[in-house]
Amino acid sequence: MPAQPGSAAAEWRVSQAPVAYEAALTVMAARAQAIADGREPELVWLLEHPPLYTAGTSADAKDLLERRFPVFEAGRGGQMTFMGRVSGSPM
């Protein structure tokens, strides 16, 4: 997607190794502020992180039958979302 006239092209970043979810959130929060301040261009970051659940505002911990992975409050609507691969699935 081309940049808007007068704005910088988006930066593309690819992480080969998994990135911890918390670390990705920290980087993206700082980047969002830098974009809003006009100091950095938008960023498209392709990454993978270890398996986890994100909990939306309607999530209820009792809905998890087995808490195999960490749960992170997501600050979005919805319930629980699994982020990861199911064992044996190709990728």
Side-chain angles (χ1 to χ4, degrees):
M1 181 173 187
Q4 295 286 358
S7 65
E11 175 187 344
W12 284 77
R13 184 181 302 173
V14 178
S15 294
Q16 299 299 323
V19 177
Y21 186 73
E22 307 96 315
L25 287 179
T26 299
V27 169
M28 294 309 294
R31 186 58 170 249
Q33 186 61 56
I35 292 166
D37 294 344
R39 295 180 287 116
E40 295 282 349
E42 292 187 27
L43 171 65
V44 177
W45 188 10
L46 305 178
L47 63 92
E48 182 177 353
H49 47 75
L52 58 98
Y53 295 101
T54 57
T57 55
S58 300
D60 189 333
K62 72 178 177 13
D63 291 338
L64 285 179
L65 300 179
E66 182 180 345
R67 189 173 172 155
R68 295 174 42 196
F69 306 107
V71 177
F72 294 92
E73 298 293 324
R76 57 152 172 79
Q79 298 180 2
M80 294 286 185
T81 301
F82 173 69
M83 308 262 190
R85 286 189 221 167
V86 177
S87 180
S89 67
M91 288 250 343

